[in-house]
């Protein structure tokens, strides 16, 4: 009874200052119904602010994404910026088309203005890369993007960038979280009704002009594409960028072209998820393009699919990452090529052969973007940074342009993206990658699986002895600590496994790679079969080792 009374008291206190009539009504109904189980879930703590900012389900209470949580987060960020000597500095705010995104963006601008900072809000829902670009373009001290990227429709999020245009990392995340914890009542947070700048179209025009840097003047532009925005905000910017550079106008997947926060045609609005690309493939079957391109809802990721004898195949992020690297090498790119530890080792081999620098980082573009001398960075989860001087983050728009240029050049030669992948396999070995990805409703499943691996580490996988096991919690001489485990297996396949909890979704993710030597083109088909067989066997043994 004491617990129930405490929950009701806390809920009523939250309700008394909730500025959103919708979430206030939702919470009032829960209190009225005495739904202690739901109230306990919503008031069991607070959404934790970390290197991904905030992300969670929309709803009332401190464990949900709502205006109260966002106002506190904005107030904490404002206090942090002022403590860092940025009083009066500019904060740029962008947002996607999800539920409540525009409200969260407006609240953020109001809080920044009330704290004595300057705020500028992008003119409408736009891709996250436009916000990342605007920070550097406008000389801002920070930026906020309201987005949950490719999460389910019920979610929203709050991504924070600092003035270099990169996402926050430690210790900034902990310092901002500490400032958020110091925020008192919402009434103590000044929120004027005006005073910030509503930006016009000039920032988007500047971003589009910057895309000129991605392409080689006079390069072929003849590729034919089908494009889906996955119910997100990418369509208008992609179409404008393709038109600007003289590409054939992409054929749209009409059912997914316009922003829709309900994401009605997909279970999860992520091109990697089963079924998400079905409508795009159906459209491609009708019009027979050269490639299919897709963005996720905030258009910072780019998916690519190619035709096969059996229909359309989505390329893995590692395959697209290698293709773009090879294209940039061909274009004479200089600087450092970087990737996260969960991405394919093929990038390192391409960089070594080309005589360019190479770095490996922790997972996430918050780390990749900070590599000194970065020229190109990618991550297997469909993220590519092809113009770090313009956007110091993954960018699904410029990546789509660069893929289209590469496919156009190959088309002029009577070749395809698949042909170039075959060339890379013969030059460096067939790098076969796969994932064991487990979505959970109970986060303890992930913690228990990781604990089991640490307590009883596998001695072999797929019949291959584990010759090296690293607990990345301890850090390495080149990487700071992170919750992850890395295994290397014996034998010619150079097999590698990395297990880690997702930083943005309730998923346990294990990344697998094997490298199968290929002497000549006639051996490619057999190498692919061998690679997949070894990956499948590793996946089966790994699942057993984790108790899944």
């Amino acid at each position: 009874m004491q617990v129930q009374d405490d929950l009701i008291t806390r809920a009523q206190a939250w309700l008394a200052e909730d500025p959103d009539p919708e979430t206030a009504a939702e919470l009032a109904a829960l209190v009225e119904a005495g739904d202690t189980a739901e109230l306990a879930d919503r008031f069991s703590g607070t959404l934790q602010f970390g290197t991904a900012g905030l992300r969670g389900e929309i709803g009332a209470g401190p464990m949900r994404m709502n205006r109260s949580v966002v106002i506190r987060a904005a107030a904490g960020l404002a206090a942090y910026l002022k403590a860092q000597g940025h009083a009066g500095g500019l904060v740029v705010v962008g947002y996607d088309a999800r539920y409540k995104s525009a409200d969260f963006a407006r609240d953020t601008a109001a809080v920044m203005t009330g704290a004595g900072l300057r705020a500028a809000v992008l003119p409408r829902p736009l891709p996250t890369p436009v916000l990342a670009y605007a920070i550097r373009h406008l000389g801002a001290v920070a930026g906020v993007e309201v987005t949950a990227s490719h999460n389910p429709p019920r979610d929203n999020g709050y991504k924070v960038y600092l003035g270099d245009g990169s996402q926050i990392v430690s210790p900034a995340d902990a310092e901002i979280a500490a400032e958020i914890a110091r925020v008192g009542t919402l009434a103590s947070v000044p929120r004027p009704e005006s005073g910030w700048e509503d930006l016009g179209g000039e920032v988007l025009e500047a971003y589009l002009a910057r895309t000129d840097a991605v392409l080689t003047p006079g390069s072929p532009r003849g590729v034919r594409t089908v494009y889906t925005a996955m119910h997100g905000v990418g369509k208008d910017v992609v179409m404008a960028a393709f038109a600007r550079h003289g590409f054939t106008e992409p054929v749209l997947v009409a059912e997914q072209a316009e922003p829709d926060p309900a994401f009605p045609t997909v279970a999860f609005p992520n091109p990697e998820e089963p079924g998400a690309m079905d409508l795009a493939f159906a459209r491609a079957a009708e019009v027979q393009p050269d490639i299919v391109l897709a963005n996720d809802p905030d258009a910072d990721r780019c998916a690519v699919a190619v035709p096969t004898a059996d229909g359309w195949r989505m390329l893995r992020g590692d395959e697209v990452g290698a293709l773009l690297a090879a294209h940039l090498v061909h274009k004479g790119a200089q600087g450092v090529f970087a990737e996260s530890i969960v991405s394919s080792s093929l990038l390192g081999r391409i960089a070594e052969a080309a005589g360019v620098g190479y770095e490996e980082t922790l997972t996430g573009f918050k780390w990749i973007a900070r590599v000194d001398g970065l020229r190109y960075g990618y991550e297997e989860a469909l993220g590519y940074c092809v113009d770090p001087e313009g956007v110091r983050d993954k960018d699904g728009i410029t990546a789509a342009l660069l893929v289209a240029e590469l496919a156009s050049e190959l088309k002029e030669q009577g070749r395809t993206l698949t042909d170039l992948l075959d060339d890379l396999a013969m030059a460096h070995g067939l790098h076969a990658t796969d994932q064991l990805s487990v979505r959970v409703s109970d986060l303890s499943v992930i913690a228990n699986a990781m604990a089991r691996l640490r307590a009883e580490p596998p001695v072999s996988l797929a019949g291959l002895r584990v010759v090296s096991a690293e607990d990345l919690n301890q850090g390495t001489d080149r990487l700071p600590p992170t919750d992850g485990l890395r295994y290397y297996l014996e034998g010619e396949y150079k097999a590698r496994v990395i297990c880690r909890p997702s930083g943005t979704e309730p998923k346990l993710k294990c990344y697998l790679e094997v490298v199968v030597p290929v002497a000549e083109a006639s051996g490619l088909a057999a190498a692919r079969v061998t690679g997949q067989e070894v990956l499948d066997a590793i996946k089966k043994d790994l699942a057993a080792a984790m108790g899944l």
Side-chain angles (χ1 to χ4, degrees):
M1 197 59 150
Q2 172 86 33
V3 172
Q4 180 174 345
D5 290 346
D6 180 55
L7 274 174
I8 297 295
T9 299
R10 288 161 62 198
Q12 288 173 332
W14 185 275
L15 184 59
E17 61 174 19
D18 192 334
D20 187 333
E22 287 186 30
T23 50
E26 175 190 309
L27 185 55
L30 292 173
V31 171
E32 179 69 24
D35 191 341
T36 52
E38 183 65 21
L39 289 172
D41 186 47
R42 291 166 182 250
F43 286 85
S44 60
T46 59
L47 279 184
Q48 292 302 299
F49 187 94
T51 52
L54 294 168
R55 197 173 289 189
E57 186 175 344
I58 296 170
M63 287 295 289
R64 298 288 188 269
M65 281 296 296
N66 51 64
R67 291 183 62 196
S68 297
V69 164
V70 165
I71 289 166
R72 291 176 181 278
L77 174 60
Y80 167 82
L81 292 171
K82 291 165 75 174
Q84 296 292 313
H86 296 308
L90 174 66
V91 179
V92 189
V93 184
Y95 58 104
D96 67 10
R98 285 177 176 266
Y99 296 118
K100 303 286 184 184
S101 285
D103 294 337
F104 295 166
R106 185 181 187 280
D107 283 332
T108 298
V111 170
M112 295 301 162
T113 303
L117 291 144
R118 294 178 295 126
V121 183
L122 294 182
R124 64 178 188 276
L126 286 168
T128 294
V130 177
L131 181 277
Y133 168 81
I135 295 166
R136 290 161 63 84
H137 176 67
L138 297 174
V141 298
V144 171
E145 177 71 12
V146 179
T147 181
S149 190
H150 56 274
N151 275 39
R154 64 180 182 271
D155 289 358
N156 212 329
Y158 199 79
K159 184 183 290 189
V160 177
Y161 297 78
L162 295 183
D164 63 354
S166 299
Q167 299 174 48
I168 55 168
V169 295
S170 180
D173 55 347
E175 292 168 358
I176 295 170
E179 294 289 358
I180 293 171
R182 294 189 187 102
V183 177
T185 63
L186 289 192
S188 70
V189 180
R191 285 181 288 138
E193 291 294 318
S194 62
W196 57 89
E197 180 183 1
D198 290 312
L199 295 167
E202 65 281 352
V203 170
L204 178 56
E205 285 304 312
Y207 169 83
L208 287 169
R210 176 68 206 183
T211 63
D212 295 357
V214 176
L215 304 175
T216 301
S219 62
R221 310 286 162 94
V223 70
R224 296 172 58 252
T225 63
V226 160
Y227 169 76
T228 176
M230 204 68 67
H231 298 296
V233 297
K235 185 215 33 167
D236 289 348
V237 183
V238 165
M239 298 298 275
F242 271 58
R244 176 186 182 89
H245 296 295
F247 285 102
T248 302
E249 183 176 286
V251 175
L252 296 175
V253 179
E255 302 93 328
Q256 298 175 332
E258 300 302 327
D260 187 337
F263 303 106
T265 68
V266 291
F268 293 97
N270 178 355
E272 292 179 294
E273 292 284 349
M277 295 289 287
D278 285 357
L279 286 173
F281 293 163
R283 191 75 177 105
E286 294 170 1
V287 301
Q288 296 296 309
D290 300 303
I291 58 172
V292 172
L293 295 173
N295 288 136
D296 66 340
D298 69 327
D300 63 350
R301 300 172 194 244
C302 178
V304 183
V306 296
T308 72
D310 302 317
W312 286 83
R313 178 176 82 85
M314 241 247 320
L315 297 181
R316 293 186 176 278
D318 284 320
E319 292 177 304
V320 178
L323 287 169
L324 290 177
H327 187 44
L328 288 168
V329 166
H330 174 68
K331 285 158 68 83
Q334 294 295 311
V336 178
F337 286 18
E339 64 180 341
S340 65
I341 57 173
V342 300
S343 303
S344 172
S345 59
L346 177 55
L347 182 67
R349 292 181 172 89
I350 292 171
E352 181 181 15
V356 299
Y358 170 74
E359 287 288 338
E360 194 178 55
T361 75
L362 292 184
T363 308
F365 272 82
K366 57 185 176 282
W367 299 108
I368 293 171
R370 285 181 159 75
V371 168
D372 287 341
L374 181 68
R375 176 59 186 87
Y376 168 64
Y378 98 91
E379 191 157 71
E380 56 73 43
L382 310 183
Y384 315 95
C385 175
V386 301
D387 177 27
E389 290 305 306
V391 174
R392 199 150 291 188
D393 196 7
K394 56 185 178 291
D395 182 347
I397 310 295
T398 51
L401 286 173
L402 199 59
V403 169
E405 180 184 63
L406 170 58
S408 296
E409 288 191 1
L410 291 168
K411 183 177 180 179
E412 277 208 348
Q413 301 163 16
R415 305 179 75 236
T416 66
L417 296 178
T418 306
D419 293 328
L420 181 53
L421 285 172
D422 289 348
D423 291 348
L424 293 172
M426 287 185 285
H428 306 290
L430 178 74
H431 287 62
T433 59
D434 204 348
Q435 261 194 51
L436 172 60
S437 181
V438 183
R439 185 181 293 272
V440 301
S441 55
D442 179 359
L443 291 177
S444 68
V445 173
I446 296 175
N448 291 340
M450 293 296 289
R452 179 166 173 160
L453 284 177
R454 288 188 166 103
E456 302 175 45
V459 296
S460 70
L461 296 167
L464 302 171
R465 185 169 55 89
V466 176
V467 294
S468 171
E470 293 176 282
D471 189 339
L472 299 175
N473 255 341
Q474 311 302 315
T476 72
D477 57 345
R478 301 185 65 83
L479 299 171
T482 189
D483 187 7
L485 297 162
R486 179 162 59 180
Y487 307 102
Y488 290 98
L489 311 184
E490 68 177 347
E492 66 173 344
Y493 297 138
K494 302 182 178 69
R496 184 198 69 186
V497 175
I498 297 172
C499 300
R500 59 178 284 274
S502 170
T504 56
E505 297 178 272
K507 279 184 173 182
L508 175 63
K509 303 181 86 171
C510 301
Y511 306 83
L512 325 175
E513 180 179 56
V514 300
V515 183
V516 184
V518 184
E520 53 191 26
S522 61
L524 281 167
R528 289 193 181 92
V529 171
T530 298
Q532 195 58 55
E533 287 175 348
V534 177
L535 288 171
D536 289 344
I538 291 174
K539 193 184 297 188
K540 180 180 177 181
D541 288 353
L542 188 61
M546 293 188 292
L548 298 174

